[in-house]
Amino acid sequence: MAGSTFGNIFRITTWGESHGKGIGVVVDGCPAGLPLNEDDIQNFLNRRKPGQSKYSTARNEDDTVEILSGIFEGKTTGTPISMVVMNKTQRSSDYSDIAEYYRPGHADYTFDEKYGFRDYRGGGRSSGRETIGRVAAGAIASKLLTELGISVTAYSKAIGGIEINYDNFDKEFIMNNSLYMPDKGAVDKILPLLDEKRENGDSVGGVIECVVSNMKTGIGEPVFDKLDANLAKAIMSIGAVKAVEIGDGTNVASSFGTTNNDVFRYENDELIKLTNHAGGILGGISDGSDIIIRATVKPTPSIYVEQQTVNKSGENISINIKGRHDPIIVPRAVVVVEAMTAITILDMLLVSMTSKLDNIKKFFS
Amino acid sequence: MAGSTFGNIFRITTWGESHGKGIGVVVDGCPAGLPLNEDDIQNFLNRRKPGQSKYSTARNEDDTVEILSGIFEGKTTGTPISMVVMNKTQRSSDYSDIAEYYRPGHADYTFDEKYGFRDYRGGGRSSGRETIGRVAAGAIASKLLTELGISVTAYSKAIGGIEINYDNFDKEFIMNNSLYMPDKGAVDKILPLLDEKRENGDSVGGVIECVVSNMKTGIGEPVFDKLDANLAKAIMSIGAVKAVEIGDGTNVASSFGTTNNDVFRYENDELIKLTNHAGGILGGISDGSDIIIRATVKPTPSIYVEQQTVNKSGENISINIKGRHDPIIVPRAVVVVEAMTAITILDMLLVSMTSKLDNIKKFFS
Amino acid sequence: MAGSTFGNIFRITTWGESHGKGIGVVVDGCPAGLPLNEDDIQNFLNRRKPGQSKYSTARNEDDTVEILSGIFEGKTTGTPISMVVMNKTQRSSDYSDIAEYYRPGHADYTFDEKYGFRDYRGGGRSSGRETIGRVAAGAIASKLLTELGISVTAYSKAIGGIEINYDNFDKEFIMNNSLYMPDKGAVDKILPLLDEKRENGDSVGGVIECVVSNMKTGIGEPVFDKLDANLAKAIMSIGAVKAVEIGDGTNVASSFGTTNNDVFRYENDELIKLTNHAGGILGGISDGSDIIIRATVKPTPSIYVEQQTVNKSGENISINIKGRHDPIIVPRAVVVVEAMTAITILDMLLVSMTSKLDNIKKFFS
Amino acid sequence: MAGSTFGNIFRITTWGESHGKGIGVVVDGCPAGLPLNEDDIQNFLNRRKPGQSKYSTARNEDDTVEILSGIFEGKTTGTPISMVVMNKTQRSSDYSDIAEYYRPGHADYTFDEKYGFRDYRGGGRSSGRETIGRVAAGAIASKLLTELGISVTAYSKAIGGIEINYDNFDKEFIMNNSLYMPDKGAVDKILPLLDEKRENGDSVGGVIECVVSNMKTGIGEPVFDKLDANLAKAIMSIGAVKAVEIGDGTNVASSFGTTNNDVFRYENDELIKLTNHAGGILGGISDGSDIIIRATVKPTPSIYVEQQTVNKSGENISINIKGRHDPIIVPRAVVVVEAMTAITILDMLLVSMTSKLDNIKKFFS
């Protein structure tokens, strides 16, 4: 309940601070028999690694994961999988001044109010490095979903107000540009904007979209554990996310029933929907079409212009934040959204195995 | 885990179908000593009652709540509070035809996929009547928050694409119009639109906003149980909600760090924020300013024009939905959003009491 | 977390006080498709009904259950099953004096310390009537286990220090005597003892044993949610239970490895154990032999001799408890132990469906 | 739900196998501000270390704990505390033969049935080494309880059928003998028995008792999360425990209400109980007297005489287990019982802070 654990059956517990000894996660409830090694995890972690382009943190973080338990002879054993990334930088000198004041847009003030003090080094527990544990766990969830034929793909949909054009959607291109965008035209427009903002010490926000394809039907619980409700929690729990949308999302506010309802149809003996305004979920339960979820991410709060704020001594002061930070969180958060989506989808899949007595009888016969 | 329970300490479990014997909720973990009677609950329930205006369901539902446990001599005892509203209409005749086909935009198909069959009468468990339990529990949470000086207020922000003007915001007016809107000008524009849509058998969507005032600081857990993450789940778990936003929400996608960061300032020895783009939450923890949350609600899927769909025999068919349904869900859902917000805020307040050892030592000394 | 909920997937929430309006339970997570009606529940409830013999409470409690949700056309729908037994006796006059003092062996004092006051009528929430909800839920769990070929049987093993002789074990006899004992010889010895104790205003304790037959293998989780650990909680949570044993239980304290280890053997190509000291559980996981669990139940604390105690005004006083109470709790608690065992076994069975990836792939293919 | 997590607010998640890379625990929900360093943990871990006497495993396990997160400037920060003990022995050669057969009394067979295969090296996840995580977490819980004035003390009560004499109870002596017994006379009788059993390749069982002193009143929840129910689960979840008793435990089966009821009395204006048959818990809630809990521990299943069993090829075989194992589990399990008790007591203390509205209002005012 202290909130570092997520999930029901596939359940993850993250730990660690930005400048502590390490960052990690324990994955409990992963079914036995999944082939898994450290490369599977590292490939995911590398996608959130900074220093992949000039728009990301210049600080060289070489995050190498080690699996400490739960694997035997190359397969998951069903017991907890403990994964750890040791921190390279533990020195607190860079951050000593931020101990005394509250950075706007950061959790400095709220941590102090909640706990009485905080590990201020690099943001401590509220640092983006906390997501390392999520991504490592998401790599496992994603691999397991692949075994069931389900794929989860996230990408940047908009940055700094510039959106992708779906007519130019190029799935292959996502992994081939520093913004993880599926539209080269949008990337070409955004890169100069990022240069400008970085030069001005400013930052921009954006939107990440995630699509779950080849989804099973009947997944999700009808009331509080609706599939979309659990996805909303999963995604909103990522730092800097300020909005979560399913399917047409905020656009349904100005649409009408006649246009928003998705028409069911049989085609070649298969039930399909002619449109997918609902984003693959009806009444909290998956309908078999693609799950579509979007996260709006705020601009990096660490900016390099002078800012007004207060210190712990009760004074109004001006500050200039030092260090190197991204002018944009979105690209590095793409894999985090994908990870949290995969974890939630897998967890709800496992939960849904007990919905029908017939299935249970077949299972145990 | 089957998903009819919500909350950690203040924990609610709802049950019941639209046309079953009754609808109810068990509230476990309500602290002892809160004065409470059935009027406290009924006042909230009346706000979701249909038939309050011509835009709401004409069906006369006289939902009278009875408290069956957990109260002694006018006060909560600390043990579970069971509340029930018996259904007046249990006949299934009106609904027999919908047993055979899948209404677009409804959960008919997904329930059948999940459970093998469904209680099709009036939507069964996926009916809006399920929210009766949430609202009854929310009435208790809201009363308890009032004892702590915290108030929760929800209202319609937009309907059918027409938004309120904050310059004309009139809090008193909210409870004095059938749309629960704080702006008479907006209401005057929306009512004719609703008439038109109703006449055409169509329906509209909208936006509900909820504000938590006089909030404590330090509430919420830093990782997965962020205050905004739990609010997102709470609100997205309400049927028909397709987006949840905190503070500036989706607008931060096109804002910049320089404008989106809220400046901290001391005024009269009190720490305040000069703006509240963050919606009262930093790093998942409340900062003492107003919590602002928004839900986008889809147009009622029950529309009265002919629709294409499929039946259970595998045929493509046309249907005309009978019965009386609202052309707009928003006004009735306002109190549901308020209820779920109050429940979540209270639960996280209680959870946060154990954050500091000093407080615990004081508590037990 | 407030503690009125038990179980992970098959999850029950009980509510109600002895002399409130009613007593009930919500069962969430019951798979869809189980034939179920009120007789299934009533048959179980009747086994805990007092007034079945002169050794049980004379007060006539006619506990009639009503199912309010979760059933459609005679089958469970997968949604919460709400069951209620309305109380016949709500008058508080009989109990007004116990409001002022603390009965020895009862929860009067601890409730006041915890909550500041208590519903003192008939023990309120700490009354044995709370178990009505457990038994109603257990009836469902038991019926579902039967569909999987698993049976759960509880009986009195010892009362007032007199034990059954396993050589005379007669399973049929259990349901044919007021003590729910499988040995007529023991019953014949115990009945006179109960007469004597009742006459003296005294009470006796005893032991209830429960056997789960035809159990599946591989059920239970290896660390904290061991099958025996969850059973221990389930059984110890029944009021008046002071000890829980698995298999040989406390006797293993003085046994040796050479005699306590159960030998595995293949017989007719089937793996069996030659003995079952372990009670069917190894490392927290079922081994396919019978699960054996025992509960020691304390003597009824309501006795009819004068007792020393204190009142709320801080005085040492003598009391004589009025009303009619059983001189023995054991026979009525037999069905409660059976119910809690069935609930736990079923819940852990459902949890265990996700242990192996191979099974999950088969399930979703 | 996969069962490696225990607790509600003070919540621990253990991971690791006997011969994997390491063993560890994540403690989530530890309040901020507790002074804590690795010595606090190591002192507890040393108590479960083997090789402390000739009756314990000869294998030299030098278990050194490292804290990886959750501490800043010598105090807990409120965020998860990750602790790890790296394994020195990872070679699997010693254990290759046990891969093929099922040791009697061990979890080999049940793990294979559950997961399809197992990490057989040294017992894998079902090894006693799993308790390292529990003990490390218990060290923290114990230190925090000390800050509240509560102490938890466990000791061996009986080994191989020989019990301590309470007249000779010497609390100081507990930590000064290899059996962790409070009675030198009993130790002197038991040591020769252990020598004999070890020589014969046999093993013995025993009983561990744990006392919680200076306990607060009103702790525990009245129905399923009774203090004794949660303790029962905590203790039964320790490998090799086959019975859990509270207060007089199994003895109440043959006691009477007149003798078993504890008399309340005011002495010097303080409410006390003249006896403590109840073991400090009434109706699942603490009454302020000492909590008394007992665990019966089975004889070590690893014995050194020839045993009959089966192998995975379906054959009946004879085996001789190699390696060095304790002829008695009890002494090393004493600190595990103490740890699990401390964790449970602390967790329920924190849960109980929200029982009364008055307290909550005072807290937030």
Side-chain angles (χ1 to χ4, degrees), chain B residues 79-294:
Chain B
T79 61
I81 303 165
S82 176
M83 297 182 283
V84 61
V85 167
M86 297 307 283
N87 286 331
K88 297 271 161 77
T89 352
Q90 289 183 43
R91 70 187 182 288
S92 58
S93 54
D94 294 339
Y95 294 97
S96 54
D97 49 345
I98 70 169
E100 292 308 309
Y101 58 74
Y102 299 136
R103 291 169 298 162
H106 278 282
D108 303 341
Y109 171 63
T110 54
F111 264 65
D112 266 17
E113 286 292 298
K114 182 176 188 65
Y115 297 117
F117 72 113
R118 70 186 192 280
D119 180 348
Y120 51 78
R121 302 166 300 164
R125 181 72 177 145
S126 69
S127 159
R129 282 187 67 74
E130 179 269 329
T131 61
I132 285 175
R134 302 175 183 231
V135 172
I140 299 176
S142 208
K143 185 160 193 194
L144 206 152
L145 288 175
T146 304
E147 297 259 341
L148 301 176
I150 298 168
S151 71
V152 183
T153 307
Y155 45 84
S156 303
K157 175 188 160 67
I159 287 177
I162 301 170
E163 292 215 6
I164 58 166
N165 180 342
Y166 283 93
D167 293 340
N168 302 329
F169 196 100
D170 177 358
K171 194 176 168 181
E172 298 301 307
F173 188 63
I174 297 171
M175 300 294 276
N176 291 315
N177 71 94
S178 61
L179 302 183
Y180 294 104
M181 267 195 150
D183 172 8
K184 188 169 183 311
V187 171
D188 290 345
K189 274 181 257 171
I190 294 164
L191 292 182
L193 174 73
L194 290 181
D195 278 341
E196 181 205 319
K197 290 295 164 188
R198 200 167 52 126
E199 226 141 284
N200 299 346
D202 205 348
S203 63
V204 301
V207 179
I208 296 167
E209 192 162 74
C210 186
V211 178
V212 183
S213 299
N214 203 19
M215 183 66 187
K216 309 294 178 191
T217 58
I219 309 305
E221 302 298 309
V223 183
F224 297 113
D225 283 338
K226 286 185 164 79
L227 184 53
D228 36 356
N230 281 357
L231 282 169
K233 173 169 177 168
I235 300 304
M236 193 69 94
S237 78
I238 303 170
V241 171
K242 301 303 287 184
V244 179
E245 301 172 88
I246 302 292
D248 282 5
T250 54
N251 284 338
V252 304
S254 49
S255 78
F256 306 113
T258 45
T259 49
N260 188 60
N261 280 356
D262 298 312
V263 171
F264 288 116
R265 222 61 195 156
Y266 279 107
E267 280 191 4
N268 306 320
D269 287 335
E270 203 183 346
L271 187 150
I272 59 156
K273 282 161 47 196
L274 297 187
T275 52
N276 189 16
H277 300 297
I281 303 174
L282 286 169
I285 303 169
S286 65
D287 64 18
S289 48
D290 284 1
I291 307 284
I292 296 165
I293 185 162
R294 266 185 312 287

Side-chain angles (χ1 to χ4, degrees), chain A residues 10 13 23 27 46 68 86 94 103 121 127 136 138 155 167 179 191 196 257 280 286 298:
Chain A
F10 187 87
T13 301
I23 294 269
V27 176
N46 289 347
L68 299 181
M86 298 307 283
D94 295 340
R103 291 169 299 162
R121 301 166 302 164
S127 159
Y155 46 82
D167 293 340
L179 303 182
L191 292 181
E196 180 205 319
S286 64
K298 73 176 181 180

Side-chain angles (χ1 to χ4, degrees), chain D residues 71-93:
Chain D
I71 310 290
F72 185 61
E73 299 181 342
K75 288 189 177 171
T76 57
T77 58
T79 61
I81 303 166
S82 176
M83 297 182 283
V84 61
V85 168
M86 297 308 282
N87 287 330
K88 296 271 161 75
T89 353
Q90 289 184 41
R91 70 187 180 288
S92 58
S93 53

Side-chain angles (χ1 to χ4, degrees), chain A residues 1-203:
Chain A
M1 211 187 60
S4 297
T5 298
F6 183 81
N8 296 282
I9 292 184
F10 187 87
R11 185 181 271 180
I12 75 171
T13 301
T14 71
W15 56 268
E17 286 87 30
S18 175
H19 284 55
K21 289 195 178 169
I23 294 269
V25 65
V26 180
V27 176
D28 198 23
C30 182
L34 178 73
L36 192 78
N37 61 38
E38 279 147 354
D39 287 347
D40 294 318
I41 313 299
Q42 195 65 50
N43 288 340
F44 262 68
L45 283 180
N46 289 347
R47 289 169 59 194
R48 71 164 292 291
K49 215 161 59 170
Q52 303 203 101
S53 76
K54 62 180 171 176
Y55 311 103
S56 298
T57 305
R59 189 160 63 107
N60 182 25
E61 299 180 48
D62 195 1
D63 293 330
T64 309
V65 72
E66 190 177 9
I67 301 177
L68 299 181
S69 70
I71 310 290
F72 185 60
E73 298 180 342
K75 288 189 177 172
T76 59
T77 59
T79 61
I81 303 165
S82 175
M83 297 182 282
V84 61
V85 167
M86 298 307 283
N87 286 330
K88 296 272 161 72
T89 353
Q90 289 183 42
R91 70 187 181 289
S92 59
S93 54
D94 295 340
Y95 295 95
S96 54
D97 49 345
I98 71 168
E100 292 307 311
Y101 58 74
Y102 298 136
R103 291 169 299 162
H106 278 281
D108 303 341
Y109 171 63
T110 54
F111 264 66
D112 266 16
E113 285 292 297
K114 182 175 188 64
Y115 297 118
F117 72 114
R118 71 186 192 280
D119 179 348
Y120 50 78
R121 301 166 302 164
R125 181 71 175 145
S126 69
S127 159
R129 282 185 68 74
E130 179 269 328
T131 61
I132 285 174
R134 302 175 183 231
V135 172
I140 298 175
S142 208
K143 185 159 192 197
L144 206 153
L145 287 176
T146 304
E147 297 260 340
L148 301 176
I150 298 169
S151 70
V152 183
T153 308
Y155 46 82
S156 304
K157 176 188 160 65
I159 287 177
I162 301 170
E163 292 214 6
I164 59 166
N165 180 340
Y166 283 93
D167 293 340
N168 303 329
F169 195 100
D170 177 358
K171 195 176 167 181
E172 298 302 306
F173 188 63
I174 296 171
M175 300 294 277
N176 290 316
N177 71 94
S178 61
L179 303 182
Y180 294 105
M181 267 195 149
D183 172 8
K184 188 170 184 311
V187 171
D188 290 344
K189 273 181 257 170
I190 293 164
L191 292 181
L193 175 72
L194 290 180
D195 278 341
E196 180 205 319
K197 290 295 164 186
R198 200 167 54 125
E199 225 141 283
N200 298 346
D202 206 348
S203 63

Side-chain angles (χ1 to χ4, degrees), chain B residues 2-122:
Chain B
S4 297
T5 298
F6 183 82
N8 296 282
I9 292 184
F10 187 86
R11 184 181 271 181
I12 75 171
T13 301
T14 71
W15 56 268
E17 287 87 30
S18 175
H19 284 55
K21 289 196 178 169
I23 294 269
V25 65
V26 180
V27 176
D28 198 23
C30 182
L34 178 72
L36 192 77
N37 61 39
E38 278 148 355
D39 287 348
D40 294 319
I41 313 300
Q42 196 65 50
N43 287 340
F44 262 68
L45 284 180
N46 290 346
R47 289 169 58 194
R48 73 163 291 291
K49 214 161 61 169
Q52 303 203 101
S53 75
K54 61 179 172 178
Y55 310 105
S56 299
T57 304
R59 190 161 62 108
N60 182 24
E61 299 180 49
D62 195 2
D63 294 330
T64 308
V65 72
E66 190 177 10
I67 301 177
L68 298 182
S69 69
I71 310 290
F72 185 60
E73 298 181 343
K75 288 187 177 174
T76 59
T77 59
T79 61
I81 303 165
S82 176
M83 297 182 283
V84 61
V85 167
M86 297 307 283
N87 286 331
K88 297 271 161 77
T89 352
Q90 289 183 43
R91 70 187 182 288
S92 58
S93 54
D94 294 339
Y95 294 97
S96 54
D97 49 345
I98 70 169
E100 292 308 309
Y101 58 74
Y102 299 136
R103 291 169 298 162
H106 278 282
D108 303 341
Y109 171 63
T110 54
F111 264 65
D112 266 17
E113 286 292 298
K114 182 176 188 65
Y115 297 117
F117 72 113
R118 70 186 192 280
D119 180 348
Y120 51 78
R121 302 166 300 164

Side-chain angles (χ1 to χ4, degrees), chain C residues 1-6 8-9 12 14 102-107 109-116 125 130 134 159-161 193 197 201-207 217-226 228-230 232-233 236-239 241-247 249-258 260-266 271 277-279 281-283 285-287 296-303 305 307-317 340 351-352 355-356, chain D residues 1-6 8-9 12 14 102-107 109-116 125 130 134 159-161 193 197 201-207 217-226 228-230 232-233 236-239 241-247 249-258 260-266 271 277-279 281-283 285-287 296-303 305 307-317 340 351-352 355-356:
Chain C
M1 209 187 61
S4 297
T5 298
F6 183 81
N8 295 282
I9 292 184
I12 76 172
T14 72
Y102 298 135
R103 290 170 299 161
H106 278 282
Y109 171 63
T110 53
F111 263 67
D112 267 16
E113 285 291 299
K114 183 176 187 64
Y115 297 118
R125 181 73 176 144
E130 179 269 327
R134 302 176 183 231
I159 288 176
L193 175 72
K197 290 295 165 188
D202 206 348
S203 63
V204 302
V207 179
T217 57
I219 310 304
E221 302 298 309
V223 183
F224 298 113
D225 283 338
K226 284 185 166 80
D228 37 356
N230 281 358
K233 174 169 177 169
M236 192 69 95
S237 76
I238 302 170
V241 172
K242 301 302 286 184
V244 179
E245 300 172 89
I246 302 292
T250 55
N251 284 339
V252 304
S254 49
S255 78
F256 306 113
T258 45
N260 188 61
N261 279 357
D262 299 312
V263 171
F264 288 116
R265 222 61 195 155
Y266 280 107
L271 188 149
H277 301 296
I281 303 174
L282 286 169
I285 303 169
S286 64
D287 64 17
T296 303
V297 179
K298 73 175 182 181
T300 321
S302 289
I303 50 176
V305 297
Q307 293 185 89
Q308 304 300 307
T309 192
V310 297
N311 64 18
K312 290 169 72 171
S313 317
E315 296 165 321
N316 291 319
I317 60 169
M340 290 307 297
V351 166
S352 293
S355 300
K356 273 191 259 190
Chain D
M1 210 185 61
S4 296
T5 298
F6 183 81
N8 296 282
I9 292 185
I12 75 172
T14 71
Y102 298 135
R103 291 169 298 162
H106 278 282
Y109 171 63
T110 55
F111 264 66
D112 267 17
E113 285 292 298
K114 183 175 187 65
Y115 297 118
R125 181 72 176 144
E130 179 270 327
R134 301 176 184 230
I159 287 176
L193 175 73
K197 290 295 165 187
D202 206 348
S203 63
V204 301
V207 178
T217 58
I219 309 306
E221 302 298 309
V223 183
F224 297 113
D225 283 337
K226 285 185 165 79
D228 36 356
N230 281 356
K233 173 169 177 167
M236 192 69 95
S237 77
I238 302 170
V241 171
K242 301 303 286 184
V244 179
E245 300 172 89
I246 302 292
T250 55
N251 284 338
V252 304
S254 48
S255 78
F256 305 113
T258 44
N260 188 60
N261 279 356
D262 299 311
V263 171
F264 288 117
R265 222 63 195 153
Y266 280 107
L271 188 150
H277 300 296
I281 303 174
L282 286 169
I285 303 170
S286 65
D287 65 17
T296 303
V297 179
K298 74 175 181 181
T300 320
S302 289
I303 51 175
V305 297
Q307 293 185 88
Q308 304 301 306
T309 192
V310 297
N311 64 18
K312 290 168 74 171
S313 318
E315 297 166 318
N316 292 319
I317 61 169
M340 289 307 296
V351 166
S352 292
S355 301
K356 273 189 259 192

